[in-house]
Amino acid sequence: MIALKMSAIDAAYERIRPVVYETPLIKNHSLSELSQCDLALKAENLQRTGSFKIRGAFNKLALIHEAGGKGAVSGSSGNHGAAVAWAARYFGLTARIVVPTTASPAKVEAIKAYGADIEFCGTTSHERIERAKAIAQETALSFVAPFDDPEVMAGQGTIGLEILQQMPEVEIIVVPIGGGGLISGIATAVKSQRPDIRIIGVEPLGAPKAYESRKHHQRQILSSTETIADGLKTISLGELTYPIIEHLVDDIVLVDDDEIRRAMSLLLTRQKMLAEPSGAATLAYALRKPDRLHHRKTVVVISGGNIDPISLCEHLTHPH
């Protein structure tokens, strides 16, 4: 059974519009030439809290606030946690975020700056999410899933609505895949109105949970993942996101870390746009597979821009 309905995305759009930015769709001639298509960047790195995650988090926290909830707890590699912390502060709620011991310093500082309490736990998405669920059972805090939640997915789906409004002639939309909440929301929003538009999901070579799930025709849980794209390191798709992806996403592709680094560098030098590795994965695919996108009107979602200066320098100076 598909957990996400178009009516939920429409409702989320009305709920978040007063607060969440409508991020620009930016065309770049140089990057279009390199990818051999009519390329546009959906700049969610310019969103509040520096990533798309505020859309789903704000939608979910708004509903928790309406229901009289006291606060929220979540597990996150960083961006979702920052978004939950920001939304909780907006509604006057408390927030507690469980992050991996390997979390990006920039993302940890952002979560703290938005007023949330932080707990470090393990290195995998499974460990931090299970710990957050345990905290929810021990306290009055409401658990907010980073991706496997209909209200969170609905918030992320508002990006799809914006893309259709900003570029009605779009033919291909390329979306990164972590746990699958972003692509599930976008695919639902887009395919309900324009089933002819191709949705392509991109994930790192070192974290191919969606790719392997499609190959085996069932949801796969990886033993481990390794990639510079920390937001895409999830070991599995969600139980709710997997069937949506299987039903609506046309293709799932892989990029390696060196390709991601090159895309980050080109975004910075050609567009003066700062993207974290997870956010640059979509451009990495466009640059590597121009035959797939040849002369097509293509939107790549730049999902986030939260990266500390030291890591950025390391990636940009890494030989690739």
Side-chain angles (χ1 to χ4, degrees):
M1 181 173 174
I2 301 300
L4 183 58
K5 293 181 170 56
M6 190 60 216
S7 58
I9 298 175
D10 288 331
Y13 193 50
E14 293 306 312
R15 198 173 287 121
I16 73 175
R17 277 176 77 179
V19 170
V20 172
Y21 300 145
E22 179 179 315
T23 52
L25 203 60
I26 300 169
K27 292 200 172 187
N28 182 288
H29 180 71
S30 176
L31 296 176
S32 290
E33 282 194 333
L34 287 170
S35 56
Q36 296 179 31
C37 68
D38 185 355
L39 189 75
L41 312 167
K42 180 58 171 166
E44 284 293 297
N45 57 315
L46 303 180
Q47 185 55 265
R48 281 192 188 275
T49 73
S51 89
F52 74 95
K53 288 286 192 177
I54 190 63
R55 295 174 182 265
F58 191 86
N59 190 47
K60 182 69 175 181
L61 268 290
L63 293 168
I64 290 172
H65 178 63
E66 287 173 19
K70 303 301 181 186
V73 59
S74 189
S76 168
S77 64
N79 285 343
H80 173 70
V84 169
W86 192 96
R89 186 178 69 176
Y90 179 92
F91 288 112
L93 305 175
T94 59
R96 190 166 172 184
I97 310 299
V98 182
V99 301
T101 56
T102 53
S104 158
K107 294 179 180 181
V108 171
E109 286 306 310
I111 293 169
K112 289 180 179 177
Y114 298 137
D117 294 326
I118 285 183
E119 179 176 324
F120 291 91
C121 178
T123 58
T124 69
S125 54
H126 177 75
E127 288 172 297
R128 57 184 174 267
I129 289 171
E130 288 305 307
R131 175 57 187 150
K133 287 179 178 178
I135 293 170
Q137 290 182 333
E138 298 163 3
T139 66
L141 302 178
S142 302
F143 174 68
V144 180
F147 49 83
D148 217 24
D149 180 294
E151 283 87 20
V152 171
M153 287 188 276
Q156 323 305 25
T158 60
I159 295 172
L161 297 182
E162 288 183 13
I163 291 172
L164 292 179
Q165 292 166 5
Q166 294 169 317
M167 191 175 174
E169 70 277 17
V170 63
E171 297 173 273
I172 298 172
I173 301 175
V174 188
V175 188
I177 302 178
L182 175 61
I183 198 168
S184 293
I186 290 176
T188 300
V190 170
K191 292 286 190 177
S192 67
Q193 299 182 52
R194 292 280 307 282
D196 58 302
I197 295 174
R198 286 185 63 78
I199 305 292
I200 298 175
V202 181
E203 56 186 358
L205 188 63
K209 61 276 165 191
Y211 184 87
E212 291 296 324
S213 296
R214 176 150 297 186
K215 187 166 77 173
H216 291 93
H217 305 290
Q218 62 180 2
R219 178 172 167 263
Q220 299 292 302
I221 301 176
L222 305 178
S223 58
S224 63
T225 56
E226 187 56 48
T227 173
I228 62 170
D230 62 325
L232 309 182
K233 285 179 73 171
T234 319
I235 61 171
S236 71
L237 297 174
E239 293 180 8
L240 302 181
T241 63
Y242 168 68
I244 298 173
I245 291 168
E246 195 60 22
H247 182 59
L248 295 178
V249 175
D250 297 286
D251 201 6
I252 296 169
V253 298
L254 303 174
V255 294
D256 65 37
D257 284 357
D258 282 345
E259 291 170 321
I260 292 173
R261 290 185 181 100
R262 177 175 180 246
M264 291 172 65
S265 178
L266 286 168
L267 282 169
L268 198 58
T269 56
R270 304 292 177 93
Q271 182 54 49
K272 308 302 177 280
M273 178 181 284
L274 178 63
E276 62 188 274
S278 301
T282 49
L283 179 62
Y285 169 73
L287 294 169
R288 180 166 62 84
K289 284 287 186 182
D291 56 312
R292 293 267 190 102
L293 309 176
H294 198 50
H295 301 308
R296 308 283 290 280
K297 295 176 175 62
T298 302
V299 171
V300 297
V301 178
I302 307 299
S303 57
N306 293 317
I307 183 169
D308 63 274
I310 293 174
S311 296
L312 177 65
C313 291
E314 288 174 351
H315 293 320
L316 295 181
T317 57
H318 189 280
H320 56 267

